[in-house]
Amino acid sequence: MVKVGELIANLNFKVARKFILHILLISSSITLIGTSVQLSMDYSKDLETIHSTFHQIDVSYRQSITNTLWVSNIEVLKIQLKGILKLRDMQHLEVVLEDKSRIQVGKPETKYVIKHEYIMSKNFGNREIHLGVLRVTASLRGVYRRLLEKVVVILLIQAIKTFIVSVAIFVLFYIIVGRHLQTIVRYAKSFSLNSMDKPLRLRGYEEKLDERNELSILVHSVNSMRNNLIREIEKRDQAEKQLQESERQLRLMFMEMSAGFALHEVIRKMDGTPHDYRFLDVNSAFEQLTGLGRAKIIGKSVQDIFPYVEKQLIDTFLEVAISRVPVSFERHVKAVGKHLQVVAYSPQKDRFAVILLDISKRKKAEEELAKYRNHLEEIVFERTMELRNAHEKLLAAERLATLGKVAGSISHELRNPLAVIDSSAYYLKSSIKSPNQRTIKHIERIIMQVKHSTAIIESLLDLTGISAPNKEKLDLVDLLETIVSRVMIPKTIDICKKMEERIFVPGDFRQLEMVIGNLIKNAVDAMDNQGVLTLSAQTSENGKFAEIAIKDTGSGILPEHISEIFKPLFSTKAQGIGFGLSICHQIVDKHGGFIDVTSEPGKGSSFIVKLPVYEEKTDG
Ligand SMILES: Nc1ncnc2c1ncn2[C@@H]1O[C@H](COP(=O)(O)OP(=O)(O)OP(=O)(O)O)[C@@H](O)[C@H]1O
Ligand SMILES: [Mg+2]
């Protein structure tokens, strides 16, 4: 049962109040209208009663009053009038006689009255004698008072009735509808995702859901809505869980993938032109590749992070984000100092993702391979050249050996006859008593040619008879000074010496003297008595080699002769045999060194003899 307290507490139940107010208004209006009708009917009835009283006076009293007047019995007349006055609503009666005298009863009134007049006359013979006028005044005050009393009673009764009915309606409305509405309101107010476990229940309606009245339909609808919602939420929860799981998997994959991954968003200027991009997300591999932490780059633009990033790279990525056409390229990214394989694609407009693979190791391996390949080619070339040189040397050695044998036997056979010719020529020159100039000239020519022939034979013997050097510690400065003093150098040639440091080489003094002497002779020959001869000695290759340079400002060597000059018997000189440089080459070679030549025709030549420097023996 509904508790009274609960009922009172819910008196501010607005729907009920509104409902009751409407009932009150309607019932009051009806009461008012009913009362008005009733009053108007009562009023008409009272008026009718007054008129019927007037008629009754006419019918019942007028004759007797006329008779009383006829006999002029005033006392009786007054009694009669008083009798009439007692009739309902009669206020005042007045008889006006012919002489204008008046007999009246009651209190005269002018307001709220109805008046009626009766002519009083008597037939006497054939004449009608006028006796006077009876004026009857009926008061309406009694009518009004009665009406008022009625109104008061009616309204009082109606008010009490309406109050009782309203209270009854309120209680009934509250019991039947109001409390359930409040329950529904409370249920709806507290309805949330966390409190959906309880269905809506209305007291007194639980078992009667199948009755299908409006409330039970409402309860049923709310509960089925709740069930649908629960099902939907369960479905959504399930989907959300699946989504979270796949997101977790993707995130894990994203973070753990070995390739660097970064998602970017295009930044546009005010006029809409794209000009930069900002980092939205990066994975761990990206952090490792670039050396930049997530926290430092997320939300920042690439130009904030790499102010000197190549503009062309930014443009390439912006193009991908706008055209949504993926690109792939390999590039050495200066900003991170690595070779990267870059794949860029756009997952949605104005965004692009970049996948980076560090290919620095591969590139390095490729470069090393290329280097090694080139080096291999160099090695092969060097070996080929060495082989060719060795072959040439072998050929030259063979040639020299043959030449040596020939030279040995020829020189043996020719030396004695040449010595005989030489001494005979001297004898002839000194024994002829009066020789003419012509004879002397011819004898001297014989002596000259014998000398030349002897020189050729000696050179041949030098060339073919170079033995293994007898090495000793030689001071290069001393060596050069000695040679310069021994070689014939015309005074017209300036000699410039650059020998500041003391350099020691292991060498055969006589053989090296032959080398430097031959080179100086060639330089002097090339300068034709004027020019500068520069002699210098220095160390090279971290002190491992000594370099002796003989430089002249002479005629120079034609490029096509450079490869020929070290071959025996190559000479461009009228008196030259072409053995000098061959001997130099042989000797230097036997000392573990080599000769280089640079020359410019018309400007001069430079011969550099490289010899290993002397190393003190430390092992005792
Ligand atoms: N300093 C130089 N300037 C210009 N040409 C040179 C120089 N040294 C050598 N030559 C050229 O190299 C050739 C060969 O020199 P090499 O010393 O072997 O023979 P030669 O000087 O001609 O004769 P030989 O030395 O046997 O008397 C020379 O004939 C000359 O053409
Ligand atoms: Mg020479």
Side-chain angles (χ1 to χ4, degrees), residues 515-547:
V515 171
I516 308 298
N518 265 322
L519 294 174
I520 292 175
K521 265 191 233 163
N522 281 346
V524 169
D525 287 349
M527 285 190 284
D528 197 15
N529 288 329
Q530 52 184 346
V532 183
L533 173 69
T534 310
L535 301 171
S536 64
Q538 62 180 55
T539 53
S540 70
E541 295 179 37
N542 292 328
K544 281 186 184 169
F545 281 89
E547 279 187 6

PDB file of all heavy atoms in Angstrom, residues 515-547:
ATOM      1  N   VAL A 515     127.325   6.623 -62.313  1.00  0.00           N
ATOM      2  CA  VAL A 515     125.912   6.994 -62.550  1.00  0.00           C
ATOM      3  C   VAL A 515     125.771   8.516 -62.561  1.00  0.00           C
ATOM      4  O   VAL A 515     125.299   9.103 -63.548  1.00  0.00           O
ATOM      5  CB  VAL A 515     124.999   6.390 -61.454  1.00  0.00           C
ATOM      6  CG1 VAL A 515     123.594   6.948 -61.564  1.00  0.00           C
ATOM      7  CG2 VAL A 515     124.975   4.879 -61.565  1.00  0.00           C
ATOM      8  N   ILE A 516     126.163   9.139 -61.448  1.00  0.00           N
ATOM      9  CA  ILE A 516     125.966  10.589 -61.316  1.00  0.00           C
ATOM     10  C   ILE A 516     126.780  11.320 -62.382  1.00  0.00           C
ATOM     11  O   ILE A 516     126.306  12.268 -63.012  1.00  0.00           O
ATOM     12  CB  ILE A 516     126.372  11.076 -59.897  1.00  0.00           C
ATOM     13  CG1 ILE A 516     125.680  10.246 -58.800  1.00  0.00           C
ATOM     14  CG2 ILE A 516     126.041  12.573 -59.715  1.00  0.00           C
ATOM     15  CD1 ILE A 516     124.175  10.321 -58.779  1.00  0.00           C
ATOM     16  N   GLY A 517     128.012  10.786 -62.635  1.00  0.00           N
ATOM     17  CA  GLY A 517     128.880  11.412 -63.649  1.00  0.00           C
ATOM     18  C   GLY A 517     128.220  11.385 -65.014  1.00  0.00           C
ATOM     19  O   GLY A 517     128.168  12.401 -65.721  1.00  0.00           O
ATOM     20  N   ASN A 518     127.664  10.226 -65.406  1.00  0.00           N
ATOM     21  CA  ASN A 518     126.975  10.113 -66.701  1.00  0.00           C
ATOM     22  C   ASN A 518     125.808  11.088 -66.805  1.00  0.00           C
ATOM     23  O   ASN A 518     125.607  11.734 -67.839  1.00  0.00           O
ATOM     24  CB  ASN A 518     126.451   8.695 -66.881  1.00  0.00           C
ATOM     25  CG  ASN A 518     127.435   7.842 -67.679  1.00  0.00           C
ATOM     26  OD1 ASN A 518     128.057   8.336 -68.629  1.00  0.00           O
ATOM     27  ND2 ASN A 518     127.568   6.594 -67.284  1.00  0.00           N
ATOM     28  N   LEU A 519     125.032  11.195 -65.690  1.00  0.00           N
ATOM     29  CA  LEU A 519     123.846  12.076 -65.715  1.00  0.00           C
ATOM     30  C   LEU A 519     124.288  13.532 -65.841  1.00  0.00           C
ATOM     31  O   LEU A 519     123.651  14.313 -66.573  1.00  0.00           O
ATOM     32  CB  LEU A 519     122.979  11.864 -64.459  1.00  0.00           C
ATOM     33  CG  LEU A 519     122.310  10.484 -64.346  1.00  0.00           C
ATOM     34  CD1 LEU A 519     121.601  10.321 -63.010  1.00  0.00           C
ATOM     35  CD2 LEU A 519     121.295  10.282 -65.480  1.00  0.00           C
ATOM     36  N   ILE A 520     125.327  13.920 -65.111  1.00  0.00           N
ATOM     37  CA  ILE A 520     125.808  15.310 -65.212  1.00  0.00           C
ATOM     38  C   ILE A 520     126.315  15.575 -66.631  1.00  0.00           C
ATOM     39  O   ILE A 520     126.015  16.626 -67.217  1.00  0.00           O
ATOM     40  CB  ILE A 520     126.905  15.585 -64.151  1.00  0.00           C
ATOM     41  CG1 ILE A 520     126.282  15.556 -62.736  1.00  0.00           C
ATOM     42  CG2 ILE A 520     127.550  16.945 -64.387  1.00  0.00           C
ATOM     43  CD1 ILE A 520     127.292  15.701 -61.600  1.00  0.00           C
ATOM     44  N   LYS A 521     127.042  14.581 -67.191  1.00  0.00           N
ATOM     45  CA  LYS A 521     127.571  14.755 -68.563  1.00  0.00           C
ATOM     46  C   LYS A 521     126.416  14.971 -69.533  1.00  0.00           C
ATOM     47  O   LYS A 521     126.476  15.872 -70.382  1.00  0.00           O
ATOM     48  CB  LYS A 521     128.373  13.514 -68.962  1.00  0.00           C
ATOM     49  CG  LYS A 521     129.851  13.645 -68.716  1.00  0.00           C
ATOM     50  CD  LYS A 521     130.556  12.475 -69.387  1.00  0.00           C
ATOM     51  CE  LYS A 521     131.462  11.783 -68.344  1.00  0.00           C
ATOM     52  NZ  LYS A 521     131.878  10.444 -68.752  1.00  0.00           N
ATOM     53  N   ASN A 522     125.381  14.173 -69.416  1.00  0.00           N
ATOM     54  CA  ASN A 522     124.224  14.324 -70.311  1.00  0.00           C
ATOM     55  C   ASN A 522     123.587  15.708 -70.149  1.00  0.00           C
ATOM     56  O   ASN A 522     123.196  16.336 -71.140  1.00  0.00           O
ATOM     57  CB  ASN A 522     123.161  13.258 -69.999  1.00  0.00           C
ATOM     58  CG  ASN A 522     123.516  11.908 -70.598  1.00  0.00           C
ATOM     59  OD1 ASN A 522     124.420  11.828 -71.456  1.00  0.00           O
ATOM     60  ND2 ASN A 522     122.831  10.859 -70.179  1.00  0.00           N
ATOM     61  N   ALA A 523     123.472  16.171 -68.872  1.00  0.00           N
ATOM     62  CA  ALA A 523     122.864  17.487 -68.608  1.00  0.00           C
ATOM     63  C   ALA A 523     123.701  18.581 -69.267  1.00  0.00           C
ATOM     64  O   ALA A 523     123.157  19.484 -69.922  1.00  0.00           O
ATOM     65  CB  ALA A 523     122.741  17.708 -67.097  1.00  0.00           C
ATOM     66  N   VAL A 524     125.020  18.466 -69.090  1.00  0.00           N
ATOM     67  CA  VAL A 524     125.916  19.483 -69.676  1.00  0.00           C
ATOM     68  C   VAL A 524     125.796  19.460 -71.203  1.00  0.00           C
ATOM     69  O   VAL A 524     125.659  20.516 -71.838  1.00  0.00           O
ATOM     70  CB  VAL A 524     127.382  19.221 -69.220  1.00  0.00           C
ATOM     71  CG1 VAL A 524     128.367  20.068 -70.016  1.00  0.00           C
ATOM     72  CG2 VAL A 524     127.522  19.492 -67.740  1.00  0.00           C
ATOM     73  N   ASP A 525     125.739  18.229 -71.777  1.00  0.00           N
ATOM     74  CA  ASP A 525     125.589  18.097 -73.238  1.00  0.00           C
ATOM     75  C   ASP A 525     124.310  18.774 -73.710  1.00  0.00           C
ATOM     76  O   ASP A 525     124.276  19.443 -74.742  1.00  0.00           O
ATOM     77  CB  ASP A 525     125.522  16.614 -73.639  1.00  0.00           C
ATOM     78  CG  ASP A 525     126.887  15.918 -73.516  1.00  0.00           C
ATOM     79  OD1 ASP A 525     127.881  16.656 -73.321  1.00  0.00           O
ATOM     80  OD2 ASP A 525     126.910  14.669 -73.569  1.00  0.00           O
ATOM     81  N   ALA A 526     123.220  18.619 -72.907  1.00  0.00           N
ATOM     82  CA  ALA A 526     121.917  19.143 -73.326  1.00  0.00           C
ATOM     83  C   ALA A 526     121.855  20.661 -73.255  1.00  0.00           C
ATOM     84  O   ALA A 526     121.049  21.288 -73.950  1.00  0.00           O
ATOM     85  CB  ALA A 526     120.816  18.547 -72.435  1.00  0.00           C
ATOM     86  N   MET A 527     122.721  21.260 -72.396  1.00  0.00           N
ATOM     87  CA  MET A 527     122.618  22.715 -72.197  1.00  0.00           C
ATOM     88  C   MET A 527     123.447  23.526 -73.166  1.00  0.00           C
ATOM     89  O   MET A 527     123.298  24.754 -73.212  1.00  0.00           O
ATOM     90  CB  MET A 527     122.963  23.065 -70.741  1.00  0.00           C
ATOM     91  CG  MET A 527     121.808  22.688 -69.797  1.00  0.00           C
ATOM     92  SD  MET A 527     121.998  23.298 -68.161  1.00  0.00           S
ATOM     93  CE  MET A 527     123.205  22.202 -67.510  1.00  0.00           C
ATOM     94  N   ASP A 528     124.295  22.878 -73.915  1.00  0.00           N
ATOM     95  CA  ASP A 528     125.093  23.566 -74.938  1.00  0.00           C
ATOM     96  C   ASP A 528     125.792  24.811 -74.341  1.00  0.00           C
ATOM     97  O   ASP A 528     125.601  25.941 -74.801  1.00  0.00           O
ATOM     98  CB  ASP A 528     124.171  23.976 -76.107  1.00  0.00           C
ATOM     99  CG  ASP A 528     124.996  24.311 -77.347  1.00  0.00           C
ATOM    100  OD1 ASP A 528     126.195  23.944 -77.362  1.00  0.00           O
ATOM    101  OD2 ASP A 528     124.435  24.950 -78.256  1.00  0.00           O
ATOM    102  N   ASN A 529     126.549  24.576 -73.305  1.00  0.00           N
ATOM    103  CA  ASN A 529     127.414  25.576 -72.654  1.00  0.00           C
ATOM    104  C   ASN A 529     126.709  26.712 -71.902  1.00  0.00           C
ATOM    105  O   ASN A 529     127.387  27.606 -71.414  1.00  0.00           O
ATOM    106  CB  ASN A 529     128.399  26.181 -73.663  1.00  0.00           C
ATOM    107  CG  ASN A 529     129.462  25.170 -74.042  1.00  0.00           C
ATOM    108  OD1 ASN A 529     129.832  24.311 -73.224  1.00  0.00           O
ATOM    109  ND2 ASN A 529     129.926  25.235 -75.264  1.00  0.00           N
ATOM    110  N   GLN A 530     125.436  26.700 -71.852  1.00  0.00           N
ATOM    111  CA  GLN A 530     124.822  27.711 -70.978  1.00  0.00           C
ATOM    112  C   GLN A 530     123.498  27.203 -70.371  1.00  0.00           C
ATOM    113  O   GLN A 530     122.754  26.493 -71.019  1.00  0.00           O
ATOM    114  CB  GLN A 530     124.579  29.023 -71.724  1.00  0.00           C
ATOM    115  CG  GLN A 530     123.820  28.883 -73.009  1.00  0.00           C
ATOM    116  CD  GLN A 530     123.721  30.232 -73.707  1.00  0.00           C
ATOM    117  OE1 GLN A 530     123.995  31.257 -73.108  1.00  0.00           O
ATOM    118  NE2 GLN A 530     123.366  30.208 -74.969  1.00  0.00           N
ATOM    119  N   GLY A 531     123.306  27.633 -69.107  1.00  0.00           N
ATOM    120  CA  GLY A 531     122.114  27.171 -68.398  1.00  0.00           C
ATOM    121  C   GLY A 531     122.456  26.946 -66.938  1.00  0.00           C
ATOM    122  O   GLY A 531     123.505  27.370 -66.457  1.00  0.00           O
ATOM    123  N   VAL A 532     121.500  26.327 -66.258  1.00  0.00           N
ATOM    124  CA  VAL A 532     121.698  26.084 -64.818  1.00  0.00           C
ATOM    125  C   VAL A 532     121.615  24.574 -64.565  1.00  0.00           C
ATOM    126  O   VAL A 532     120.658  23.913 -64.989  1.00  0.00           O
ATOM    127  CB  VAL A 532     120.621  26.805 -63.969  1.00  0.00           C
ATOM    128  CG1 VAL A 532     120.882  26.597 -62.465  1.00  0.00           C
ATOM    129  CG2 VAL A 532     120.565  28.276 -64.294  1.00  0.00           C
ATOM    130  N   LEU A 533     122.603  24.099 -63.874  1.00  0.00           N
ATOM    131  CA  LEU A 533     122.592  22.694 -63.476  1.00  0.00           C
ATOM    132  C   LEU A 533     122.296  22.660 -61.981  1.00  0.00           C
ATOM    133  O   LEU A 533     123.006  23.259 -61.186  1.00  0.00           O
ATOM    134  CB  LEU A 533     123.964  22.063 -63.753  1.00  0.00           C
ATOM    135  CG  LEU A 533     124.155  20.644 -63.231  1.00  0.00           C
ATOM    136  CD1 LEU A 533     123.294  19.644 -64.004  1.00  0.00           C
ATOM    137  CD2 LEU A 533     125.619  20.233 -63.311  1.00  0.00           C
ATOM    138  N   THR A 534     121.180  22.010 -61.629  1.00  0.00           N
ATOM    139  CA  THR A 534     120.801  21.957 -60.206  1.00  0.00           C
ATOM    140  C   THR A 534     121.003  20.551 -59.686  1.00  0.00           C
ATOM    141  O   THR A 534     120.489  19.592 -60.273  1.00  0.00           O
ATOM    142  CB  THR A 534     119.329  22.378 -60.035  1.00  0.00           C
ATOM    143  OG1 THR A 534     119.130  23.607 -60.717  1.00  0.00           O
ATOM    144  CG2 THR A 534     118.949  22.539 -58.565  1.00  0.00           C
ATOM    145  N   LEU A 535     121.747  20.460 -58.595  1.00  0.00           N
ATOM    146  CA  LEU A 535     121.977  19.154 -57.963  1.00  0.00           C
ATOM    147  C   LEU A 535     121.343  19.193 -56.576  1.00  0.00           C
ATOM    148  O   LEU A 535     121.599  20.124 -55.808  1.00  0.00           O
ATOM    149  CB  LEU A 535     123.481  18.881 -57.831  1.00  0.00           C
ATOM    150  CG  LEU A 535     124.268  18.867 -59.136  1.00  0.00           C
ATOM    151  CD1 LEU A 535     125.760  18.814 -58.852  1.00  0.00           C
ATOM    152  CD2 LEU A 535     123.868  17.662 -59.975  1.00  0.00           C
ATOM    153  N   SER A 536     120.521  18.219 -56.279  1.00  0.00           N
ATOM    154  CA  SER A 536     119.926  18.220 -54.943  1.00  0.00           C
ATOM    155  C   SER A 536     119.852  16.796 -54.401  1.00  0.00           C
ATOM    156  O   SER A 536     119.832  15.825 -55.169  1.00  0.00           O
ATOM    157  CB  SER A 536     118.522  18.843 -54.971  1.00  0.00           C
ATOM    158  OG  SER A 536     117.669  18.056 -55.753  1.00  0.00           O
ATOM    159  N   ALA A 537     119.826  16.731 -53.071  1.00  0.00           N
ATOM    160  CA  ALA A 537     119.686  15.416 -52.415  1.00  0.00           C
ATOM    161  C   ALA A 537     118.741  15.585 -51.234  1.00  0.00           C
ATOM    162  O   ALA A 537     118.876  16.526 -50.455  1.00  0.00           O
ATOM    163  CB  ALA A 537     121.042  14.915 -51.941  1.00  0.00           C
ATOM    164  N   GLN A 538     117.792  14.668 -51.146  1.00  0.00           N
ATOM    165  CA  GLN A 538     116.843  14.734 -50.019  1.00  0.00           C
ATOM    166  C   GLN A 538     116.256  13.344 -49.785  1.00  0.00           C
ATOM    167  O   GLN A 538     116.434  12.452 -50.616  1.00  0.00           O
ATOM    168  CB  GLN A 538     115.724  15.733 -50.319  1.00  0.00           C
ATOM    169  CG  GLN A 538     114.888  15.331 -51.536  1.00  0.00           C
ATOM    170  CD  GLN A 538     113.788  16.339 -51.825  1.00  0.00           C
ATOM    171  OE1 GLN A 538     114.082  17.514 -51.981  1.00  0.00           O
ATOM    172  NE2 GLN A 538     112.571  15.855 -51.910  1.00  0.00           N
ATOM    173  N   THR A 539     115.580  13.215 -48.639  1.00  0.00           N
ATOM    174  CA  THR A 539     114.971  11.899 -48.380  1.00  0.00           C
ATOM    175  C   THR A 539     113.492  11.958 -48.776  1.00  0.00           C
ATOM    176  O   THR A 539     112.886  13.033 -48.831  1.00  0.00           O
ATOM    177  CB  THR A 539     115.060  11.515 -46.886  1.00  0.00           C
ATOM    178  OG1 THR A 539     114.508  12.573 -46.117  1.00  0.00           O
ATOM    179  CG2 THR A 539     116.470  11.235 -46.451  1.00  0.00           C
ATOM    180  N   SER A 540     112.936  10.798 -49.044  1.00  0.00           N
ATOM    181  CA  SER A 540     111.501  10.732 -49.370  1.00  0.00           C
ATOM    182  C   SER A 540     110.916   9.479 -48.749  1.00  0.00           C
ATOM    183  O   SER A 540     111.650   8.629 -48.232  1.00  0.00           O
ATOM    184  CB  SER A 540     111.293  10.738 -50.886  1.00  0.00           C
ATOM    185  OG  SER A 540     111.739   9.526 -51.412  1.00  0.00           O
ATOM    186  N   GLU A 541     109.567   9.417 -48.858  1.00  0.00           N
ATOM    187  CA  GLU A 541     108.816   8.259 -48.317  1.00  0.00           C
ATOM    188  C   GLU A 541     109.222   7.962 -46.874  1.00  0.00           C
ATOM    189  O   GLU A 541     109.702   6.868 -46.547  1.00  0.00           O
ATOM    190  CB  GLU A 541     108.983   7.030 -49.208  1.00  0.00           C
ATOM    191  CG  GLU A 541     108.368   7.257 -50.588  1.00  0.00           C
ATOM    192  CD  GLU A 541     108.527   6.063 -51.514  1.00  0.00           C
ATOM    193  OE1 GLU A 541     108.443   4.924 -51.050  1.00  0.00           O
ATOM    194  OE2 GLU A 541     108.731   6.304 -52.713  1.00  0.00           O
ATOM    195  N   ASN A 542     109.056   9.022 -46.039  1.00  0.00           N
ATOM    196  CA  ASN A 542     109.348   8.914 -44.590  1.00  0.00           C
ATOM    197  C   ASN A 542     110.785   8.490 -44.309  1.00  0.00           C
ATOM    198  O   ASN A 542     111.043   7.681 -43.400  1.00  0.00           O
ATOM    199  CB  ASN A 542     108.392   7.936 -43.909  1.00  0.00           C
ATOM    200  CG  ASN A 542     106.983   8.476 -43.893  1.00  0.00           C
ATOM    201  OD1 ASN A 542     106.798   9.698 -43.816  1.00  0.00           O
ATOM    202  ND2 ASN A 542     106.005   7.590 -43.988  1.00  0.00           N
ATOM    203  N   GLY A 543     111.686   9.024 -45.104  1.00  0.00           N
ATOM    204  CA  GLY A 543     113.112   8.774 -44.816  1.00  0.00           C
ATOM    205  C   GLY A 543     113.595   7.415 -45.293  1.00  0.00           C
ATOM    206  O   GLY A 543     114.719   7.028 -44.995  1.00  0.00           O
ATOM    207  N   LYS A 544     112.735   6.694 -46.069  1.00  0.00           N
ATOM    208  CA  LYS A 544     113.168   5.356 -46.509  1.00  0.00           C
ATOM    209  C   LYS A 544     114.102   5.429 -47.712  1.00  0.00           C
ATOM    210  O   LYS A 544     114.917   4.557 -47.939  1.00  0.00           O
ATOM    211  CB  LYS A 544     111.942   4.518 -46.882  1.00  0.00           C
ATOM    212  CG  LYS A 544     111.224   3.952 -45.680  1.00  0.00           C
ATOM    213  CD  LYS A 544     110.121   3.032 -46.151  1.00  0.00           C
ATOM    214  CE  LYS A 544     109.318   2.539 -44.955  1.00  0.00           C
ATOM    215  NZ  LYS A 544     108.105   1.871 -45.377  1.00  0.00           N
ATOM    216  N   PHE A 545     113.892   6.478 -48.545  1.00  0.00           N
ATOM    217  CA  PHE A 545     114.686   6.593 -49.773  1.00  0.00           C
ATOM    218  C   PHE A 545     115.440   7.918 -49.810  1.00  0.00           C
ATOM    219  O   PHE A 545     115.004   8.921 -49.232  1.00  0.00           O
ATOM    220  CB  PHE A 545     113.784   6.517 -51.008  1.00  0.00           C
ATOM    221  CG  PHE A 545     113.393   5.114 -51.347  1.00  0.00           C
ATOM    222  CD1 PHE A 545     112.258   4.527 -50.811  1.00  0.00           C
ATOM    223  CD2 PHE A 545     114.180   4.353 -52.208  1.00  0.00           C
ATOM    224  CE1 PHE A 545     111.894   3.230 -51.112  1.00  0.00           C
ATOM    225  CE2 PHE A 545     113.830   3.049 -52.523  1.00  0.00           C
ATOM    226  CZ  PHE A 545     112.692   2.487 -51.977  1.00  0.00           C
ATOM    227  N   ALA A 546     116.570   7.867 -50.526  1.00  0.00           N
ATOM    228  CA  ALA A 546     117.311   9.108 -50.790  1.00  0.00           C
ATOM    229  C   ALA A 546     117.058   9.441 -52.248  1.00  0.00           C
ATOM    230  O   ALA A 546     117.049   8.549 -53.104  1.00  0.00           O
ATOM    231  CB  ALA A 546     118.792   8.878 -50.553  1.00  0.00           C
ATOM    232  N   GLU A 547     116.793  10.733 -52.502  1.00  0.00           N
ATOM    233  CA  GLU A 547     116.520  11.145 -53.892  1.00  0.00           C
ATOM    234  C   GLU A 547     117.612  12.106 -54.346  1.00  0.00           C
ATOM    235  O   GLU A 547     117.781  13.168 -53.746  1.00  0.00           O
ATOM    236  CB  GLU A 547     115.170  11.865 -53.959  1.00  0.00           C
ATOM    237  CG  GLU A 547     114.005  10.915 -53.994  1.00  0.00           C
ATOM    238  CD  GLU A 547     112.663  11.635 -54.229  1.00  0.00           C
ATOM    239  OE1 GLU A 547     112.689  12.877 -54.470  1.00  0.00           O
ATOM    240  OE2 GLU A 547     111.639  10.975 -54.153  1.00  0.00           O
TER     241      GLU A 547
END
